[in-house]
PDB file of all heavy atoms in Angstrom:
ATOM      1  N   LEU I 194     -49.687   3.483  43.645  1.00  0.00           N
ATOM      2  CA  LEU I 194     -49.238   4.354  42.552  1.00  0.00           C
ATOM      3  C   LEU I 194     -49.981   5.683  42.597  1.00  0.00           C
ATOM      4  O   LEU I 194     -51.211   5.712  42.617  1.00  0.00           O
ATOM      5  CB  LEU I 194     -49.484   3.667  41.204  1.00  0.00           C
ATOM      6  CG  LEU I 194     -48.945   4.385  39.973  1.00  0.00           C
ATOM      7  CD1 LEU I 194     -47.421   4.364  39.967  1.00  0.00           C
ATOM      8  CD2 LEU I 194     -49.473   3.723  38.710  1.00  0.00           C
ATOM      9  N   ARG I 195     -49.238   6.772  42.624  1.00  0.00           N
ATOM     10  CA  ARG I 195     -49.820   8.124  42.699  1.00  0.00           C
ATOM     11  C   ARG I 195     -49.061   9.070  41.786  1.00  0.00           C
ATOM     12  O   ARG I 195     -47.843   8.975  41.663  1.00  0.00           O
ATOM     13  CB  ARG I 195     -49.680   8.702  44.115  1.00  0.00           C
ATOM     14  CG  ARG I 195     -50.265   7.874  45.223  1.00  0.00           C
ATOM     15  CD  ARG I 195     -51.700   8.271  45.513  1.00  0.00           C
ATOM     16  NE  ARG I 195     -52.254   7.527  46.615  1.00  0.00           N
ATOM     17  CZ  ARG I 195     -52.776   6.315  46.540  1.00  0.00           C
ATOM     18  NH1 ARG I 195     -52.804   5.678  45.395  1.00  0.00           N
ATOM     19  NH2 ARG I 195     -53.282   5.717  47.595  1.00  0.00           N
ATOM     20  N   ARG I 196     -49.795  10.013  41.210  1.00  0.00           N
ATOM     21  CA  ARG I 196     -49.130  11.084  40.456  1.00  0.00           C
ATOM     22  C   ARG I 196     -48.601  12.087  41.471  1.00  0.00           C
ATOM     23  O   ARG I 196     -49.328  12.559  42.330  1.00  0.00           O
ATOM     24  CB  ARG I 196     -50.109  11.743  39.486  1.00  0.00           C
ATOM     25  CG  ARG I 196     -49.422  12.682  38.527  1.00  0.00           C
ATOM     26  CD  ARG I 196     -50.205  12.865  37.238  1.00  0.00           C
ATOM     27  NE  ARG I 196     -51.523  13.428  37.413  1.00  0.00           N
ATOM     28  CZ  ARG I 196     -51.792  14.724  37.426  1.00  0.00           C
ATOM     29  NH1 ARG I 196     -50.827  15.613  37.295  1.00  0.00           N
ATOM     30  NH2 ARG I 196     -53.027  15.150  37.578  1.00  0.00           N
ATOM     31  N   ALA I 197     -47.301  12.403  41.369  1.00  0.00           N
ATOM     32  CA  ALA I 197     -46.655  13.251  42.380  1.00  0.00           C
ATOM     33  C   ALA I 197     -46.303  14.634  41.841  1.00  0.00           C
ATOM     34  O   ALA I 197     -45.735  15.446  42.559  1.00  0.00           O
ATOM     35  CB  ALA I 197     -45.384  12.565  42.878  1.00  0.00           C
ATOM     36  N   ALA I 198     -46.614  14.888  40.574  1.00  0.00           N
ATOM     37  CA  ALA I 198     -46.271  16.181  39.982  1.00  0.00           C
ATOM     38  C   ALA I 198     -47.278  16.522  38.905  1.00  0.00           C
ATOM     39  O   ALA I 198     -47.974  15.651  38.389  1.00  0.00           O
ATOM     40  CB  ALA I 198     -44.864  16.128  39.378  1.00  0.00           C
ATOM     41  N   ASN I 199     -47.346  17.804  38.557  1.00  0.00           N
ATOM     42  CA  ASN I 199     -48.174  18.227  37.444  1.00  0.00           C
ATOM     43  C   ASN I 199     -47.545  17.741  36.143  1.00  0.00           C
ATOM     44  O   ASN I 199     -46.393  17.319  36.116  1.00  0.00           O
ATOM     45  CB  ASN I 199     -48.294  19.751  37.422  1.00  0.00           C
ATOM     46  CG  ASN I 199     -49.151  20.259  38.562  1.00  0.00           C
ATOM     47  OD1 ASN I 199     -50.083  19.591  38.996  1.00  0.00           O
ATOM     48  ND2 ASN I 199     -48.820  21.443  39.055  1.00  0.00           N
ATOM     49  N   TYR I 200     -48.293  17.841  35.066  1.00  0.00           N
ATOM     50  CA  TYR I 200     -47.757  17.494  33.756  1.00  0.00           C
ATOM     51  C   TYR I 200     -46.878  18.623  33.253  1.00  0.00           C
ATOM     52  O   TYR I 200     -47.173  19.796  33.466  1.00  0.00           O
ATOM     53  CB  TYR I 200     -48.896  17.270  32.757  1.00  0.00           C
ATOM     54  CG  TYR I 200     -49.669  15.995  33.008  1.00  0.00           C
ATOM     55  CD1 TYR I 200     -50.974  16.032  33.472  1.00  0.00           C
ATOM     56  CD2 TYR I 200     -49.087  14.764  32.763  1.00  0.00           C
ATOM     57  CE1 TYR I 200     -51.688  14.861  33.692  1.00  0.00           C
ATOM     58  CE2 TYR I 200     -49.785  13.587  32.988  1.00  0.00           C
ATOM     59  CZ  TYR I 200     -51.087  13.646  33.452  1.00  0.00           C
ATOM     60  OH  TYR I 200     -51.775  12.493  33.669  1.00  0.00           O
ATOM     61  N   SER I 201     -45.803  18.253  32.564  1.00  0.00           N
ATOM     62  CA  SER I 201     -45.011  19.253  31.839  1.00  0.00           C
ATOM     63  C   SER I 201     -45.001  18.846  30.373  1.00  0.00           C
ATOM     64  O   SER I 201     -45.116  17.662  30.032  1.00  0.00           O
ATOM     65  CB  SER I 201     -43.591  19.349  32.407  1.00  0.00           C
ATOM     66  OG  SER I 201     -42.955  18.089  32.366  1.00  0.00           O
ATOM     67  N   ARG I 202     -44.909  19.851  29.512  1.00  0.00           N
ATOM     68  CA  ARG I 202     -44.898  19.588  28.072  1.00  0.00           C
ATOM     69  C   ARG I 202     -43.486  19.215  27.637  1.00  0.00           C
ATOM     70  O   ARG I 202     -42.524  19.863  28.043  1.00  0.00           O
ATOM     71  CB  ARG I 202     -45.372  20.821  27.311  1.00  0.00           C
ATOM     72  CG  ARG I 202     -46.806  21.162  27.618  1.00  0.00           C
ATOM     73  CD  ARG I 202     -47.306  22.301  26.732  1.00  0.00           C
ATOM     74  NE  ARG I 202     -48.615  22.748  27.135  1.00  0.00           N
ATOM     75  CZ  ARG I 202     -49.747  22.077  26.909  1.00  0.00           C
ATOM     76  NH1 ARG I 202     -49.717  20.949  26.268  1.00  0.00           N
ATOM     77  NH2 ARG I 202     -50.902  22.554  27.324  1.00  0.00           N
ATOM     78  N   ILE I 203     -43.399  18.162  26.821  1.00  0.00           N
ATOM     79  CA  ILE I 203     -42.109  17.726  26.295  1.00  0.00           C
ATOM     80  C   ILE I 203     -42.293  17.370  24.827  1.00  0.00           C
ATOM     81  O   ILE I 203     -43.409  17.406  24.306  1.00  0.00           O
ATOM     82  CB  ILE I 203     -41.560  16.502  27.057  1.00  0.00           C
ATOM     83  CG1 ILE I 203     -42.524  15.307  26.941  1.00  0.00           C
ATOM     84  CG2 ILE I 203     -41.264  16.831  28.514  1.00  0.00           C
ATOM     85  CD1 ILE I 203     -41.914  13.985  27.326  1.00  0.00           C
ATOM     86  N   SER I 204     -41.194  16.990  24.193  1.00  0.00           N
ATOM     87  CA  SER I 204     -41.228  16.498  22.824  1.00  0.00           C
ATOM     88  C   SER I 204     -40.724  15.058  22.840  1.00  0.00           C
ATOM     89  O   SER I 204     -39.709  14.760  23.464  1.00  0.00           O
ATOM     90  CB  SER I 204     -40.330  17.373  21.949  1.00  0.00           C
ATOM     91  OG  SER I 204     -40.274  16.857  20.650  1.00  0.00           O
ATOM     92  N   ILE I 205     -41.452  14.169  22.187  1.00  0.00           N
ATOM     93  CA  ILE I 205     -41.028  12.777  22.023  1.00  0.00           C
ATOM     94  C   ILE I 205     -40.947  12.507  20.532  1.00  0.00           C
ATOM     95  O   ILE I 205     -41.966  12.536  19.846  1.00  0.00           O
ATOM     96  CB  ILE I 205     -42.011  11.792  22.687  1.00  0.00           C
ATOM     97  CG1 ILE I 205     -42.140  12.071  24.183  1.00  0.00           C
ATOM     98  CG2 ILE I 205     -41.574  10.349  22.441  1.00  0.00           C
ATOM     99  CD1 ILE I 205     -43.164  11.205  24.892  1.00  0.00           C
ATOM    100  N   GLY I 206     -39.754  12.274  20.047  1.00  0.00           N
ATOM    101  CA  GLY I 206     -39.589  12.027  18.614  1.00  0.00           C
ATOM    102  C   GLY I 206     -40.119  13.157  17.761  1.00  0.00           C
ATOM    103  O   GLY I 206     -40.651  12.922  16.687  1.00  0.00           O
ATOM    104  N   GLY I 207     -40.006  14.398  18.251  1.00  0.00           N
ATOM    105  CA  GLY I 207     -40.470  15.554  17.500  1.00  0.00           C
ATOM    106  C   GLY I 207     -41.956  15.828  17.615  1.00  0.00           C
ATOM    107  O   GLY I 207     -42.480  16.701  16.943  1.00  0.00           O
ATOM    108  N   ARG I 208     -42.645  15.071  18.468  1.00  0.00           N
ATOM    109  CA  ARG I 208     -44.089  15.266  18.653  1.00  0.00           C
ATOM    110  C   ARG I 208     -44.373  15.809  20.046  1.00  0.00           C
ATOM    111  O   ARG I 208     -43.631  15.543  20.981  1.00  0.00           O
ATOM    112  CB  ARG I 208     -44.829  13.940  18.514  1.00  0.00           C
ATOM    113  CG  ARG I 208     -44.635  13.328  17.159  1.00  0.00           C
ATOM    114  CD  ARG I 208     -45.324  12.014  17.107  1.00  0.00           C
ATOM    115  NE  ARG I 208     -44.861  11.291  15.933  1.00  0.00           N
ATOM    116  CZ  ARG I 208     -45.507  10.308  15.370  1.00  0.00           C
ATOM    117  NH1 ARG I 208     -46.651   9.911  15.865  1.00  0.00           N
ATOM    118  NH2 ARG I 208     -45.028   9.703  14.313  1.00  0.00           N
ATOM    119  N   ARG I 209     -45.503  16.497  20.161  1.00  0.00           N
ATOM    120  CA  ARG I 209     -45.874  17.025  21.477  1.00  0.00           C
ATOM    121  C   ARG I 209     -46.168  15.869  22.411  1.00  0.00           C
ATOM    122  O   ARG I 209     -46.752  14.846  22.022  1.00  0.00           O
ATOM    123  CB  ARG I 209     -47.077  17.955  21.369  1.00  0.00           C
ATOM    124  CG  ARG I 209     -48.345  17.256  20.959  1.00  0.00           C
ATOM    125  CD  ARG I 209     -49.520  18.213  20.777  1.00  0.00           C
ATOM    126  NE  ARG I 209     -50.671  17.478  20.298  1.00  0.00           N
ATOM    127  CZ  ARG I 209     -51.540  16.860  21.079  1.00  0.00           C
ATOM    128  NH1 ARG I 209     -51.383  16.880  22.388  1.00  0.00           N
ATOM    129  NH2 ARG I 209     -52.564  16.198  20.571  1.00  0.00           N
ATOM    130  N   GLY I 210     -45.732  16.034  23.643  1.00  0.00           N
ATOM    131  CA  GLY I 210     -45.964  14.992  24.627  1.00  0.00           C
ATOM    132  C   GLY I 210     -46.114  15.587  26.012  1.00  0.00           C
ATOM    133  O   GLY I 210     -45.996  16.805  26.203  1.00  0.00           O
ATOM    134  N   LEU I 211     -46.387  14.713  26.959  1.00  0.00           N
ATOM    135  CA  LEU I 211     -46.499  15.102  28.361  1.00  0.00           C
ATOM    136  C   LEU I 211     -45.567  14.235  29.192  1.00  0.00           C
ATOM    137  O   LEU I 211     -45.319  13.066  28.854  1.00  0.00           O
ATOM    138  CB  LEU I 211     -47.928  14.904  28.874  1.00  0.00           C
ATOM    139  CG  LEU I 211     -49.009  15.809  28.314  1.00  0.00           C
ATOM    140  CD1 LEU I 211     -50.372  15.394  28.878  1.00  0.00           C
ATOM    141  CD2 LEU I 211     -48.718  17.267  28.642  1.00  0.00           C
ATOM    142  N   ARG I 212     -45.090  14.807  30.297  1.00  0.00           N
ATOM    143  CA  ARG I 212     -44.292  14.053  31.256  1.00  0.00           C
ATOM    144  C   ARG I 212     -44.817  14.343  32.652  1.00  0.00           C
ATOM    145  O   ARG I 212     -45.203  15.475  32.947  1.00  0.00           O
ATOM    146  CB  ARG I 212     -42.823  14.453  31.177  1.00  0.00           C
ATOM    147  CG  ARG I 212     -41.986  13.788  32.283  1.00  0.00           C
ATOM    148  CD  ARG I 212     -40.545  14.214  32.238  1.00  0.00           C
ATOM    149  NE  ARG I 212     -39.935  13.635  31.078  1.00  0.00           N
ATOM    150  CZ  ARG I 212     -38.923  14.191  30.412  1.00  0.00           C
ATOM    151  NH1 ARG I 212     -38.423  15.346  30.801  1.00  0.00           N
ATOM    152  NH2 ARG I 212     -38.400  13.605  29.363  1.00  0.00           N
ATOM    153  N   THR I 213     -44.835  13.318  33.491  1.00  0.00           N
ATOM    154  CA  THR I 213     -45.179  13.507  34.893  1.00  0.00           C
ATOM    155  C   THR I 213     -44.379  12.525  35.731  1.00  0.00           C
ATOM    156  O   THR I 213     -43.826  11.544  35.218  1.00  0.00           O
ATOM    157  CB  THR I 213     -46.695  13.340  35.152  1.00  0.00           C
ATOM    158  OG1 THR I 213     -46.986  13.793  36.469  1.00  0.00           O
ATOM    159  CG2 THR I 213     -47.154  11.915  34.980  1.00  0.00           C
ATOM    160  N   THR I 214     -44.329  12.799  37.016  1.00  0.00           N
ATOM    161  CA  THR I 214     -43.636  11.922  37.960  1.00  0.00           C
ATOM    162  C   THR I 214     -44.672  11.208  38.819  1.00  0.00           C
ATOM    163  O   THR I 214     -45.652  11.816  39.264  1.00  0.00           O
ATOM    164  CB  THR I 214     -42.684  12.741  38.857  1.00  0.00           C
ATOM    165  OG1 THR I 214     -41.760  13.426  38.008  1.00  0.00           O
ATOM    166  CG2 THR I 214     -41.920  11.849  39.811  1.00  0.00           C
ATOM    167  N   LEU I 215     -44.455   9.926  39.027  1.00  0.00           N
ATOM    168  CA  LEU I 215     -45.328   9.100  39.848  1.00  0.00           C
ATOM    169  C   LEU I 215     -44.510   8.524  41.000  1.00  0.00           C
ATOM    170  O   LEU I 215     -43.295   8.383  40.896  1.00  0.00           O
ATOM    171  CB  LEU I 215     -45.902   7.933  39.028  1.00  0.00           C
ATOM    172  CG  LEU I 215     -46.542   8.267  37.690  1.00  0.00           C
ATOM    173  CD1 LEU I 215     -46.829   6.993  36.905  1.00  0.00           C
ATOM    174  CD2 LEU I 215     -47.816   9.054  37.893  1.00  0.00           C
ATOM    175  N   THR I 216     -45.201   8.184  42.072  1.00  0.00           N
ATOM    176  CA  THR I 216     -44.559   7.451  43.156  1.00  0.00           C
ATOM    177  C   THR I 216     -45.305   6.139  43.337  1.00  0.00           C
ATOM    178  O   THR I 216     -46.485   6.026  43.005  1.00  0.00           O
ATOM    179  CB  THR I 216     -44.583   8.245  44.480  1.00  0.00           C
ATOM    180  OG1 THR I 216     -45.939   8.540  44.818  1.00  0.00           O
ATOM    181  CG2 THR I 216     -43.790   9.539  44.358  1.00  0.00           C
ATOM    182  N   ASN I 217     -44.586   5.152  43.864  1.00  0.00           N
ATOM    183  CA  ASN I 217     -45.169   3.835  44.053  1.00  0.00           C
ATOM    184  C   ASN I 217     -44.394   3.120  45.154  1.00  0.00           C
ATOM    185  O   ASN I 217     -43.318   3.567  45.546  1.00  0.00           O
ATOM    186  CB  ASN I 217     -45.101   3.036  42.747  1.00  0.00           C
ATOM    187  CG  ASN I 217     -45.963   1.785  42.773  1.00  0.00           C
ATOM    188  OD1 ASN I 217     -46.962   1.709  43.480  1.00  0.00           O
ATOM    189  ND2 ASN I 217     -45.575   0.795  41.987  1.00  0.00           N
ATOM    190  N   ARG I 218     -44.933   2.017  45.613  1.00  0.00           N
ATOM    191  CA  ARG I 218     -44.196   1.122  46.508  1.00  0.00           C
ATOM    192  C   ARG I 218     -43.910  -0.124  45.692  1.00  0.00           C
ATOM    193  O   ARG I 218     -44.811  -0.732  45.128  1.00  0.00           O
ATOM    194  CB  ARG I 218     -45.032   0.791  47.747  1.00  0.00           C
ATOM    195  CG  ARG I 218     -44.296  -0.066  48.744  1.00  0.00           C
ATOM    196  CD  ARG I 218     -44.906  -0.007  50.131  1.00  0.00           C
ATOM    197  NE  ARG I 218     -45.022   1.356  50.652  1.00  0.00           N
ATOM    198  CZ  ARG I 218     -44.017   2.069  51.173  1.00  0.00           C
ATOM    199  NH1 ARG I 218     -42.818   1.565  51.225  1.00  0.00           N
ATOM    200  NH2 ARG I 218     -44.228   3.285  51.633  1.00  0.00           N
ATOM    201  N   SER I 219     -42.639  -0.483  45.586  1.00  0.00           N
ATOM    202  CA  SER I 219     -42.221  -1.610  44.758  1.00  0.00           C
ATOM    203  C   SER I 219     -42.852  -2.912  45.239  1.00  0.00           C
ATOM    204  O   SER I 219     -42.819  -3.228  46.431  1.00  0.00           O
ATOM    205  CB  SER I 219     -40.700  -1.728  44.799  1.00  0.00           C
ATOM    206  OG  SER I 219     -40.295  -2.940  44.211  1.00  0.00           O
ATOM    207  N   GLU I 220     -43.420  -3.690  44.285  1.00  0.00           N
ATOM    208  CA  GLU I 220     -43.959  -5.014  44.619  1.00  0.00           C
ATOM    209  C   GLU I 220     -42.838  -5.949  45.027  1.00  0.00           C
ATOM    210  O   GLU I 220     -43.053  -6.953  45.690  1.00  0.00           O
ATOM    211  CB  GLU I 220     -44.672  -5.667  43.413  1.00  0.00           C
ATOM    212  CG  GLU I 220     -45.621  -4.800  42.657  1.00  0.00           C
ATOM    213  CD  GLU I 220     -44.963  -4.187  41.426  1.00  0.00           C
ATOM    214  OE1 GLU I 220     -43.851  -3.614  41.551  1.00  0.00           O
ATOM    215  OE2 GLU I 220     -45.551  -4.225  40.351  1.00  0.00           O
ATOM    216  N   VAL I 221     -41.620  -5.638  44.589  1.00  0.00           N
ATOM    217  CA  VAL I 221     -40.475  -6.513  44.810  1.00  0.00           C
ATOM    218  C   VAL I 221     -39.858  -6.277  46.177  1.00  0.00           C
ATOM    219  O   VAL I 221     -39.729  -7.185  46.994  1.00  0.00           O
ATOM    220  CB  VAL I 221     -39.407  -6.285  43.722  1.00  0.00           C
ATOM    221  CG1 VAL I 221     -38.192  -7.160  43.962  1.00  0.00           C
ATOM    222  CG2 VAL I 221     -39.994  -6.538  42.347  1.00  0.00           C
ATOM    223  N   SER I 222     -39.491  -5.016  46.441  1.00  0.00           N
ATOM    224  CA  SER I 222     -38.736  -4.703  47.659  1.00  0.00           C
ATOM    225  C   SER I 222     -39.596  -4.117  48.771  1.00  0.00           C
ATOM    226  O   SER I 222     -39.171  -4.073  49.923  1.00  0.00           O
ATOM    227  CB  SER I 222     -37.625  -3.703  47.325  1.00  0.00           C
ATOM    228  OG  SER I 222     -38.209  -2.453  46.961  1.00  0.00           O
ATOM    229  N   GLY I 223     -40.798  -3.644  48.426  1.00  0.00           N
ATOM    230  CA  GLY I 223     -41.622  -2.959  49.406  1.00  0.00           C
ATOM    231  C   GLY I 223     -41.163  -1.535  49.675  1.00  0.00           C
ATOM    232  O   GLY I 223     -41.744  -0.823  50.483  1.00  0.00           O
ATOM    233  N   GLN I 224     -40.111  -1.103  48.970  1.00  0.00           N
ATOM    234  CA  GLN I 224     -39.540   0.233  49.167  1.00  0.00           C
ATOM    235  C   GLN I 224     -40.180   1.235  48.204  1.00  0.00           C
ATOM    236  O   GLN I 224     -40.684   0.867  47.139  1.00  0.00           O
ATOM    237  CB  GLN I 224     -38.026   0.199  48.931  1.00  0.00           C
ATOM    238  CG  GLN I 224     -37.289  -0.696  49.916  1.00  0.00           C
ATOM    239  CD  GLN I 224     -37.513  -0.261  51.343  1.00  0.00           C
ATOM    240  OE1 GLN I 224     -37.329   0.894  51.700  1.00  0.00           O
ATOM    241  NE2 GLN I 224     -37.962  -1.197  52.178  1.00  0.00           N
ATOM    242  N   PRO I 225     -40.118   2.537  48.537  1.00  0.00           N
ATOM    243  CA  PRO I 225     -40.655   3.556  47.628  1.00  0.00           C
ATOM    244  C   PRO I 225     -39.871   3.593  46.318  1.00  0.00           C
ATOM    245  O   PRO I 225     -38.649   3.397  46.314  1.00  0.00           O
ATOM    246  CB  PRO I 225     -40.465   4.870  48.397  1.00  0.00           C
ATOM    247  CG  PRO I 225     -40.122   4.501  49.789  1.00  0.00           C
ATOM    248  CD  PRO I 225     -39.596   3.110  49.772  1.00  0.00           C
ATOM    249  N   GLU I 226     -40.593   3.820  45.225  1.00  0.00           N
ATOM    250  CA  GLU I 226     -39.929   4.009  43.937  1.00  0.00           C
ATOM    251  C   GLU I 226     -40.498   5.240  43.257  1.00  0.00           C
ATOM    252  O   GLU I 226     -41.626   5.649  43.517  1.00  0.00           O
ATOM    253  CB  GLU I 226     -40.055   2.768  43.049  1.00  0.00           C
ATOM    254  CG  GLU I 226     -41.453   2.371  42.681  1.00  0.00           C
ATOM    255  CD  GLU I 226     -41.534   1.059  41.899  1.00  0.00           C
ATOM    256  OE1 GLU I 226     -40.486   0.463  41.574  1.00  0.00           O
ATOM    257  OE2 GLU I 226     -42.657   0.639  41.607  1.00  0.00           O
ATOM    258  N   THR I 227     -39.670   5.843  42.421  1.00  0.00           N
ATOM    259  CA  THR I 227     -40.070   7.017  41.652  1.00  0.00           C
ATOM    260  C   THR I 227     -40.105   6.621  40.189  1.00  0.00           C
ATOM    261  O   THR I 227     -39.214   5.916  39.700  1.00  0.00           O
ATOM    262  CB  THR I 227     -39.082   8.180  41.887  1.00  0.00           C
ATOM    263  OG1 THR I 227     -39.091   8.498  43.288  1.00  0.00           O
ATOM    264  CG2 THR I 227     -39.481   9.405  41.091  1.00  0.00           C
ATOM    265  N   ILE I 228     -41.133   7.074  39.510  1.00  0.00           N
ATOM    266  CA  ILE I 228     -41.372   6.702  38.113  1.00  0.00           C
ATOM    267  C   ILE I 228     -41.608   7.969  37.319  1.00  0.00           C
ATOM    268  O   ILE I 228     -42.344   8.852  37.754  1.00  0.00           O
ATOM    269  CB  ILE I 228     -42.616   5.787  38.019  1.00  0.00           C
ATOM    270  CG1 ILE I 228     -42.394   4.516  38.839  1.00  0.00           C
ATOM    271  CG2 ILE I 228     -42.972   5.479  36.573  1.00  0.00           C
ATOM    272  CD1 ILE I 228     -43.654   3.764  39.165  1.00  0.00           C
ATOM    273  N   GLU I 229     -40.992   8.041  36.152  1.00  0.00           N
ATOM    274  CA  GLU I 229     -41.265   9.155  35.254  1.00  0.00           C
ATOM    275  C   GLU I 229     -42.011   8.595  34.057  1.00  0.00           C
ATOM    276  O   GLU I 229     -41.572   7.610  33.459  1.00  0.00           O
ATOM    277  CB  GLU I 229     -39.948   9.796  34.829  1.00  0.00           C
ATOM    278  CG  GLU I 229     -40.106  11.242  34.507  1.00  0.00           C
ATOM    279  CD  GLU I 229     -38.760  11.934  34.452  1.00  0.00           C
ATOM    280  OE1 GLU I 229     -37.995  11.655  33.528  1.00  0.00           O
ATOM    281  OE2 GLU I 229     -38.501  12.739  35.353  1.00  0.00           O
TER     282      GLU I 229
END
């Protein structure tokens, strides 16, 4: 599991939040997966 992007500011339910993209290798398939 690795962070693949910088943080961006977002709103969650009207509150300040952060979003980032992560990459990982699936425990299930062994294939790359992308996570937000």
Side-chain angles (χ1 to χ4, degrees):
L194 186 69
R195 304 268 183 277
R196 190 155 61 88
N199 289 328
Y200 289 110
S201 57
R202 296 186 187 286
I203 60 164
S204 176
I205 301 176
R208 299 177 194 201
R209 66 183 176 87
L211 292 176
R212 174 182 290 150
T213 191
T214 302
L215 310 170
T216 58
N217 193 27
R218 183 161 305 282
S219 169
E220 313 97 310
V221 178
S222 67
Q224 297 301 308
E226 61 185 357
T227 300
I228 300 162
E229 208 165 69

